[in-house]
């Protein structure tokens, strides 16, 4: 492993940018923010290029004991690598999306976003329990400010709800973390991932972590902060919220709950399945009746995240890989969909679906991209959505056919609400003169849409690029989970295999044997 | 232990009292004209005393060698830790006071002298190892504080604060003294060592009552629920520099005293008082958090916040372990820094005529009119709420870590869940400053002393504070072990 601290550098670049932005006036702040995020993206590409697939599990590790009680330890495996890539890929797009739509207090806005980027990368790169917690919690502050200062009309309510909901979930996790560090005698995440806690204790620890990750994810009964936060946040805030922040919940399950508490995870798998099934059906139905575009996509996020949790708790390689792919794909697709909403919101300043219509006539190129992302959200083969959903539902099918059946309705309902949305916005008559007069995409919007569209297609056509880095890590996780794997509910029995020819005649008692 | 040795050990107290008396004479001679010079001299004396006490902490002084006057007084690392906080925050209060007091007529010459005597009493409280030394220190501190709270004689609220503080403080002193007399009656001694050693066979009912009354009296001083009622009124009414002094130095000394009494004098009977402290801790957290929600005055808000924070410190006491004590000291140091930053920021809020601004609503849009000040106040608020990566989180973290290590997982879980309620009102201040349209009330600039203090304390509670965790943890550990060695 090279001694170059590339992860620290990736944390530092946006942080320095953030401090600089605070002092700069609007246009300079935009430029600095874009530069910082692009540099970070370039570093991310370097990171991926130098990531040794099949090499050591933890790469680019750094460790400095500068604090009492915990250390500054960074390092990534394939799972973290992909999520970091997602973060650094979406950030320049977010800055681009805010280029014109944010007019007031631009410097502070850009600073908040760059700080957010540092913290997101920190969450995925942290190898120390407490360092992870600090990054995980600290993300609340910039997001609270982003929603509260630059959000919509009801932004204050939404920002409070976001902050307090997530905080309440996380503090309980902190107590569990302290307990774990105390019992295991280390705060090192890789060591803890191999540490066997007493199954009785695991139950409590799992529940404490669940409090935090279920809120972050968000899972069904505690998802209500998400639609509010999404609707009120500025476009780029929604992109980052849906694209990356929700993934922290899934990452938490895959990094903490599953490997550290395998028995408890198996014990609570039915709970996860139940909540996820409820989420898939209920939130999809709610999405179907929304009048507000952002709210519709927010509810669809909850439904997609439910498929992630289904796959994660399937306890097999397909389920886990599928979940990771759904997370990555959803990060791109929901981010892109929020951008699509943002594009027309910037022009007409409303998110009411009924105010639009027939956009494919005056904005054909916009309609093309919107269609691509709609299809990806539905999970059309050839787009990123298909691979992940197919794999995770396939994984679930090996555990429980019923759960898989209910989970699959999410795809059907997803097609229903997304196509319905698309029809109302892009097709039909041009009911509203002002909507009909909107210009098509400009260069800036092209530059945001094209990379997202390409990434969605790439992941759909050749998912191997994304599965390869994490294959070994998923396999290791699967091996770790093997001892707690729940039994398959299907009553399949392997028969003897009927020999050809005359022997069928002798076995008259078997079903279908009589003529 | 010879007398000269004892006198050497109490050098900081001697310096403070002699300096206080000299300054008193000077003030009698020169009157209020000399107030400025007296303030500067008093700050110099306090800083000098910090240098006097620091070696004991750095060298890890503990044990009978550092006990003076036949066990009446102890100059160990623990006392030094507390005294550094006390003298430091007293000096900070003196630095920011003149500008404020000048608004209400001239700064009175008594002010720095009273602060010196109060600091002397507080230092005695931190060093007391005898119930009577304790009481002398407490009264010296309290009497000076009552006068300080009523310093603005023409202001009704200040007079009310002073009177209220005095009446309730006298009641608490009475309760404390009653507890002391019970403890003495049933253990036959007033020294902490003797009290700790006496009822090893089991606690008599009388001694148990003694513990309860002593703790009740001390709970008043640290403004723990259910003896917190005076806090909001006194904090609001007292002149802001005095409020700052009460919230930092007074709080630190009272907590240090409570720790010494609970862990040293009543240490062997921890089971007898743990339930009381657990109740006080959780009740303080909840009442402090709920009470603050409806407040519209920033000083009242800080008062409830201090009640809330005392609850977290008491969690460290409730576990009655060296880790808990060391966590309390870390929390205390961070809390003192947060309070100093908070009150200095409040002092810097002035309207166009230079009058102090205290209504939270008047802070609206501060982030646009005074971005630096708003940022500092926002850091203080997030830090008080215990949101990482700000340093306030570390204080809560070490306290809860100590609780979990001692097996009090439920206590930690309830305490931390209740801290979320507190986050709500801290967020409210940030919301007003950052989300609301500017009210354009806060005007004017501040002098360099305020700014320097604000910057120093804000940097300490910012994420940079984490670089000090090792150093702070080591010092607190040394100080806490001094406490447990003696027990």
């Amino acid at each position: 492993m090279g001694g170059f601290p590339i992860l620290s550098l990736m944390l530092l670049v946006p942080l320095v940018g953030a401090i600089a932005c605070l002092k700069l006036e609007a246009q300079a702040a935009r430029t600095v923010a874009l530069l910082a995020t692009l540099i970070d993206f370039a570093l991310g590409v370097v990171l991926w290029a130098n990531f040794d697939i099949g090499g050591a599990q933890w790469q680019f590790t750094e460790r400095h004991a500068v604090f009492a009680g915990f250390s500054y330890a960074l390092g990534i495996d394939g799972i973290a690598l992909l999520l970091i890539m997602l973060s650094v890929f979406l950030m320049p797009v977010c800055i681009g999306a805010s280029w014109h739509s944010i007019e007031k207090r631009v410097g502070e806005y850009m600073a908040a976003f760059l700080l957010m980027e540092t913290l997101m990368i920190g969450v995925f790169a942290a190898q120390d329990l407490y360092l992870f917690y600090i990054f995980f919690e600290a993300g609340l502050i910039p997001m609270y400010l982003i929603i509260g200062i630059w959000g919509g009309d009801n932004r204050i309510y939404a920002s409070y709800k976001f902050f307090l909901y997530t905080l309440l979930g996380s503090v309980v996790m902190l107590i569990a973390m302290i307990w774990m560090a105390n019992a295991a005698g280390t705060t090192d995440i890789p060591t803890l991932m191999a540490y066997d806690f007493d199954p009785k204790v695991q139950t409590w620890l799992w529940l404490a972590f669940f409090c935090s990750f279920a809120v972050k994810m968000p899972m069904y009964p505690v998802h209500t902060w998400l639609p509010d936060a999404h609707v009120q946040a500025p476009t780029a805030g929604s992109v980052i919220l849906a694209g990356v922040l929700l993934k922290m919940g899934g990452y938490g399950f895959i990094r903490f709950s599953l490997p550290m508490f395998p028995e408890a995870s198996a014990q609570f798998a039915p709970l996860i399945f139940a909540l996820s099934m409820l989420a898939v059906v209920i939130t999809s139905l709610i999405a179907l009746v929304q009048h507000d575009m952002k709210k519709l996509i927010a509810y669809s996020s909850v439904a997609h995240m439910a498929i992630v949790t289904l796959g994660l708790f399937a306890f097999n390689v397909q389920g886990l890989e599928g979940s990771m792919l759904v997370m990555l794909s959803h990060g791109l697709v929901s981010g892109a969909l929020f951008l699509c909403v943002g594009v027309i919101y910037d022009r007409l300043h409303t998110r009411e679906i009924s105010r639009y219509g027939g956009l494919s006539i005056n904005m054909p190129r916009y309609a093309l991209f919107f269609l691509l992302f709609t299809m990806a959200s539905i999970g059309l083969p050839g787009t990123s959505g298909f691979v992940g959903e197919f794999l995770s539902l396939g994984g679930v099918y090996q555990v429980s056919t019923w759960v898989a059946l209910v989970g699959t309705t999410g795809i059907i309902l997803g097609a229903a609400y997304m196509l319905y949305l698309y029809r109302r916005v892009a097709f039909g008559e041009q009911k509203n003169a002002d909507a009909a007069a909107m210009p098509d995409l400009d260069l800036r919007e092209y530059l945001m849409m094209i990379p997202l569209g390409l990434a969605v297609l790439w992941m759909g056509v050749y998912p191997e690029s994304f599965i390869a880095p994490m294959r070994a890590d998923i396999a290791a996780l699967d091996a770790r989970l093997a001892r707690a794997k729940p039994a398959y509910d299907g009553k399949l029995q392997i028969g003897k295999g009927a020999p050809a020819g005359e022997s069928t005649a002798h076995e008259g008692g078997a079903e279908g044997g009589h003529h | 232990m010879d007398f000269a040795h004892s006198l050497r050990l109490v050098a900081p107290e001697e310096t403070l009292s002699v300096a206080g008396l000299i300054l008193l004479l000077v003030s009698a001679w020169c009157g209020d004209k000399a107030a400025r010079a007296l303030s500067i001299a008093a700050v110099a004396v306090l800083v000098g005393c910090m240098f006097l006490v620091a070696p004991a902490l750095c060298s890890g002084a503990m044990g009978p060698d550092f006990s003076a006057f036949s066990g009446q007084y102890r100059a160990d690392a623990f006392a030094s830790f507390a005294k550094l906080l006390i003298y430091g925050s007293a000096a900070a209060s003196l630095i920011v006071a003149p500008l404020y007091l000048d608004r209400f007529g001239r700064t009175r010459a008594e002010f720095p002298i009273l602060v010196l005597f109060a600091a002397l009493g507080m230092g005695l409280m931190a060093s007391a190892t005898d119930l009577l030394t304790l009481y002398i220190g407490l009264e010296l501190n309290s009497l000076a504080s009552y006068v300080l709270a009523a310093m603005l004689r023409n202001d009704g609220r200040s007079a009310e604060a002073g009177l209220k503080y005095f009446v309730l403080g006298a009641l608490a002193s009475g309760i404390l003294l009653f507890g002391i007399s019970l403890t003495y009656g049933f253990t036959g001694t007033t020294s902490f060592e003797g009290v700790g050693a006496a009822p090893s066979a089991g606690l008599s009912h009388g001694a148990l009552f003694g513990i309860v009354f002593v703790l009740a009296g001390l709970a008043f001083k640290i403004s723990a629920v259910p003896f917190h009622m005076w806090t909001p009124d006194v904090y609001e009414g007292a002149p802001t520099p005095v409020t700052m002094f009460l919230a930092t130095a007074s709080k630190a000394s009272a907590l240090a005293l409570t720790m010494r009494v609970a862990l040293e004098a009543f240490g062997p009977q921890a089971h007898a008082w743990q339930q009381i402290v657990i109740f006080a801790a959780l009740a303080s957290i909840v009442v402090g958090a709920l009470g603050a929600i409806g407040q519209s005055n920033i000083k009242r808000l800080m008062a409830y916040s201090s009640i809330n924070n005392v609850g977290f410190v008491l969690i460290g006491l409730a576990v009655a372990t060296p880790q808990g004590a060391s966590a309390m000291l870390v929390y205390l140091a961070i809390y003192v820094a947060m309070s100093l930053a908070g009150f200095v920021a409040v002092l810097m809020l002035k309207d166009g005529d230079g009058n102090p601004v205290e209504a939270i609503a008047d802070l609206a849009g501060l982030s646009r009119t005074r971005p630096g000040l708003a940022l500092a106040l926002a850091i203080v608020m997030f830090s008080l709420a215990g949101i990482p990566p700000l340093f306030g989180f570390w204080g809560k973290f070490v306290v809860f870590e100590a609780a979990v290590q001692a097996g009090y997982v439920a206590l930690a879980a309830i305490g931390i869940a209740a801290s979320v309620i507190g986050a709500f009102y801290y967020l409210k201040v940030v919301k007003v400053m950052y989300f609301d349209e500017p009210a354009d009330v806060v005007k004017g600039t501040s002098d360099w002393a305020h700014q320097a203090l604000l910057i120093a304390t804000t940097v300490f509670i910012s994420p940079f504070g984490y670089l000090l965790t090792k150093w702070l943890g080591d010092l607190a550990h040394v100080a806490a072990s001094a406490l447990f060695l003696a027990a």
Side-chain angles (χ1 to χ4, degrees):
Chain A
M1 236 148 296
F4 186 67
I6 186 166
L7 287 172
S8 289
L9 189 65
M10 288 180 78
L11 293 177
L12 196 64
V13 168
L15 192 62
V16 171
I19 295 165
C21 280
L22 273 182
K23 291 277 162 204
L24 292 171
E25 43 86 40
Q27 196 54 39
R30 291 187 184 111
T31 318
V32 166
L34 187 64
L35 268 179
T37 49
L38 284 175
I39 291 173
D40 238 25
F41 178 60
L43 286 171
V45 173
V46 172
L47 191 72
W48 196 355
N50 287 315
F51 187 83
D52 179 16
I53 294 171
Q57 188 186 5
W58 301 98
Q59 305 189 14
F60 306 105
T61 49
E62 297 169 37
R63 181 171 294 274
H64 307 283
V66 283
F67 308 116
F70 68 105
S71 55
Y72 176 79
L74 301 178
I76 52 167
D77 63 353
I79 296 168
L81 169 78
L82 290 171
L83 289 167
I84 288 179
M85 282 311 297
L86 178 67
S87 313
V88 294
F89 179 70
L90 285 177
M91 276 310 290
V93 178
C94 285
I95 303 293
S98 321
W99 204 261
H100 294 306
S101 57
I102 301 296
E103 294 289 340
K104 56 167 192 173
R105 302 164 87 175
V106 178
E108 286 163 295
Y109 178 87
M110 295 299 168
F113 260 91
L114 291 174
L115 190 61
M116 199 70 226
E117 177 169 25
T118 299
L119 298 172
M120 290 183 313
I121 297 172
V123 164
F124 296 129
Q127 273 208 311
D128 185 282
L129 204 54
Y130 298 144
L131 192 66
F132 168 83
Y133 184 81
I134 287 175
F135 281 127
F136 189 77
E137 279 292 275
L140 294 183
I141 297 177
M143 204 60 212
Y144 171 73
L145 296 177
I146 289 170
I147 298 174
I149 301 179
W150 296 278
D153 301 329
N154 201 13
R155 60 186 200 271
I156 294 180
Y157 170 76
S159 61
Y160 270 89
K161 196 169 179 179
F162 163 76
F163 196 102
L164 296 176
Y165 244 79
T166 13
L167 182 64
L168 184 62
S170 304
V171 290
V172 186
M173 177 173 79
L174 178 64
I175 296 294
M177 283 182 168
I178 296 175
W179 197 95
M180 284 162 64
N182 195 30
T186 176
T187 55
D188 184 48
I189 289 176
T191 317
L192 283 167
M193 283 169 73
Y195 188 89
D196 294 319
F197 290 99
D198 177 13
K200 287 197 197 73
V201 180
Q202 278 187 21
T203 307
W204 292 103
L205 295 176
W206 190 93
L207 281 173
F209 277 77
F210 177 70
C211 283
S212 178
F213 298 145
V215 171
K216 205 85 173 182
M217 192 88 195
M219 292 186 67
Y220 167 61
V222 287
H223 67 283
T224 57
W225 64 269
L226 183 73
D228 286 309
H230 267 326
V231 170
Q232 299 304 329
T235 302
S238 302
V239 172
I240 224 60
L241 201 56
V244 185
L245 291 199
L246 303 190
K247 309 302 172 286
M248 288 184 188
Y251 178 74
F253 278 123
I254 213 166
R255 175 69 76 235
F256 296 92
S257 300
L258 287 170
M260 293 184 192
F261 324 121
E263 277 83 13
S265 297
Q267 180 191 349
F268 283 109
L271 172 73
I272 295 274
F273 286 157
L275 292 180
S276 303
M277 286 192 293
L278 283 172
V280 164
V281 177
I282 293 176
T283 55
S284 296
L285 290 175
I286 295 175
L288 209 47
V289 296
Q290 292 305 316
H291 302 294
D292 183 314
M293 283 191 265
K294 271 184 146 182
K295 224 167 191 162
L296 190 151
I297 300 168
Y299 277 108
S300 88
S301 291
V302 182
H304 280 105
M305 286 297 116
I307 293 183
V308 173
T309 42
L310 283 180
L312 287 177
F313 284 80
F315 282 75
N316 51 39
V317 172
Q318 269 117 315
L320 292 167
E321 280 180 354
S323 294
M324 272 304 293
L325 282 179
V326 174
M327 284 207 275
L328 295 174
S329 151
H330 177 262
L332 297 172
V333 172
S334 70
L337 284 171
F338 278 118
L339 275 183
C340 288
V341 175
V343 165
I344 51 178
Y345 180 80
D346 285 347
R347 288 164 171 68
L348 212 55
H349 296 285
T350 176
R351 294 180 302 263
E352 281 291 311
I353 297 172
S354 55
R355 293 277 284 109
Y356 297 94
L359 291 189
S360 56
I361 298 168
N362 58 323
M363 300 175 74
R365 295 184 178 83
Y366 168 78
L368 174 71
F369 280 107
F370 193 15
L371 183 67
L372 171 66
F373 298 127
T374 301
M375 287 305 162
S377 176
I378 293 167
L380 192 77
T383 62
S384 59
F386 171 74
V387 189
E389 286 180 4
F390 184 80
L391 274 175
S392 53
L393 288 171
V396 174
Y397 189 81
Q398 296 173 31
V399 180
S400 169
T401 43
W402 278 105
V403 174
L405 178 67
V406 178
T408 316
T409 59
I411 313 249
I412 300 164
L413 289 169
Y417 60 71
M418 284 314 294
L419 289 174
Y420 186 41
L421 170 71
Y422 191 77
R423 186 191 71 73
R424 284 180 291 173
V425 172
F427 293 157
E429 291 170 30
Q430 291 183 308
K431 288 174 292 188
N432 304 301
D434 44 2
M438 294 194 301
D440 208 343
L441 299 178
D442 61 19
L443 179 66
R444 177 181 63 92
E445 287 156 347
Y446 268 125
L447 287 178
M448 292 165 4
M449 294 287 185
I450 289 173
L452 280 168
L454 289 178
V456 164
L457 288 175
W458 180 13
M459 201 184 286
V461 174
Y462 193 67
E464 174 62 17
S465 316
F466 300 90
I467 295 178
M470 64 181 178
R471 181 166 282 133
D473 303 303
I474 296 286
L477 181 58
D478 186 55
R480 170 98 179 130
L481 291 173
R483 68 167 196 245
K485 202 169 191 161
Y488 179 49
D489 76 332
K491 302 282 185 288
L492 291 185
Q493 284 170 2
I494 298 172
K496 273 186 202 154
E502 74 279 13
S503 62
T504 34
H506 296 292
E507 296 187 22
E511 66 270 35
H514 288 292
H515 295 284
Chain B
M1 227 36 63
D2 60 7
F3 207 62
H5 180 67
S6 296
L7 282 179
R8 263 202 305 282
L9 286 176
V10 294
E13 274 74 15
E14 286 157 8
T15 316
L16 276 178
S17 42
V18 170
L21 291 172
I22 292 173
L23 293 184
L24 188 62
L25 285 177
V26 172
S27 78
W29 203 261
C30 303
D32 291 347
K33 291 193 298 295
R36 188 117 220 167
L38 286 175
S39 288
I40 294 169
V43 170
V45 169
L46 285 165
V47 172
C49 287
M50 287 174 79
F51 283 105
L52 280 179
V53 295
L57 178 60
C58 299
S59 64
M62 56 183 86
D65 285 352
F66 296 91
S67 198
F69 301 116
S70 326
Q72 298 267 323
Y73 172 99
R74 189 172 292 146
D76 55 5
F78 174 75
S80 298
F81 193 99
K83 280 180 197 171
L84 281 177
L85 293 179
I86 293 165
Y87 297 158
S89 37
S93 311
L94 278 177
I95 290 171
V96 296
L99 208 62
Y100 181 91
L101 295 174
D102 283 347
R103 285 298 310 166
F104 300 89
R106 295 185 62 84
T107 311
R108 301 188 59 80
E110 297 93 321
F111 184 79
I113 296 160
L114 282 168
V115 170
L116 276 189
F117 282 126
L120 170 64
M122 291 168 183
L124 270 181
M125 285 159 74
S127 276
T129 47
D130 188 285
L131 291 169
L132 290 178
T133 324
L134 174 168
Y135 191 72
I136 291 169
L138 192 83
E139 283 304 284
L140 189 54
N141 157 27
S142 299
L143 287 172
S145 301
Y146 303 148
V147 183
L148 283 173
M151 202 70 203
L152 300 180
R153 287 182 303 183
N154 302 328
D155 183 30
R157 285 190 314 165
S158 177
E160 183 198 330
L163 193 63
K164 209 169 229 169
Y165 195 22
F166 173 66
V167 171
L168 290 171
L171 179 69
S173 292
I175 293 174
L176 180 70
L177 210 48
F178 186 50
I180 289 176
S181 66
L182 278 173
T183 312
Y184 172 60
F186 282 87
T187 59
T189 172
T190 56
S191 84
F192 286 2
E193 216 171 319
V195 172
S200 51
L203 212 54
S204 65
H205 282 296
L208 186 63
F209 269 93
I211 293 181
V212 172
F213 278 105
V214 168
L215 284 180
L218 292 176
F220 174 87
K221 292 292 170 194
I222 60 174
S223 64
V225 173
F227 303 98
H228 64 286
M229 278 84 86
W230 60 276
T231 321
D233 291 337
V234 173
Y235 276 31
E236 184 191 1
T240 312
V242 174
T243 310
M244 176 168 145
F245 182 61
L246 294 178
T248 53
S250 189
K251 187 81 77 178
S253 65
L255 275 167
L257 176 64
T258 310
M259 285 170 75
R260 220 193 253 282
V261 170
L263 297 171
E264 217 175 294
F266 301 129
Q269 289 89 38
H271 58 274
W273 50 260
Q274 268 175 320
Q275 306 158 19
I276 304 175
V277 175
I278 288 175
F279 168 77
L282 292 180
S284 301
I285 293 172
V286 172
V287 171
L290 292 179
I293 290 174
Q295 300 308 323
S296 57
N297 180 301
I298 186 107
K299 279 163 79 182
R300 278 186 91 83
L301 185 109
M302 292 295 281
Y304 278 104
S305 153
S306 91
I307 297 172
N308 180 257
N309 277 287
V310 159
F312 292 110
V313 181
L314 286 181
I315 284 185
L317 184 63
V319 302
T321 58
Q323 287 82 16
S326 131
M328 284 175 82
L329 290 175
V330 171
Y331 195 110
L332 198 55
I334 297 172
Y335 170 72
V336 164
M338 292 192 292
S339 292
L340 285 179
F343 280 110
V344 172
V346 170
L347 277 167
M348 287 166 77
L349 300 170
K350 284 174 292 188
D351 66 8
D353 302 329
N355 290 315
V357 171
E358 292 177 6
I360 293 175
D362 288 342
L363 300 183
L366 192 68
S367 64
R368 260 173 282 181
T369 49
R370 299 282 300 275
L373 188 55
L375 182 66
L377 210 47
I379 288 179
V380 171
M381 289 300 152
F382 279 124
S383 185
L384 280 168
I387 310 293
L390 299 164
F391 208 30
F393 166 72
W394 186 249
K396 289 204 170 63
F397 175 82
V398 287
V399 166
F400 288 120
E401 190 180 31
V404 171
Q405 278 172 357
Y408 291 85
V409 181
L411 173 65
I414 298 170
I416 205 166
S419 79
V420 178
I421 312 173
F424 177 75
Y425 66 84
Y426 296 121
L427 283 184
K428 191 173 88 175
V429 178
V430 177
K431 176 226 142 196
V432 170
M433 289 192 304
Y434 276 85
F435 302 174
D436 290 359
E437 288 304 312
D440 239 11
V441 176
V442 178
K443 293 264 179 10
T445 51
S446 323
D447 74 333
W448 62 269
H450 284 72
Q451 284 176 351
L453 258 181
L454 186 65
I455 291 171
T457 44
T458 311
V459 168
F460 179 75
I461 61 174
S462 74
F464 292 108
Y466 283 86
L467 298 173
L468 302 175
T469 46
K470 259 199 178 133
W471 173 77
L472 194 61
D474 288 346
L475 287 186
H477 178 72
V478 167
S481 16
L483 208 55
F484 276 83
L485 185 81

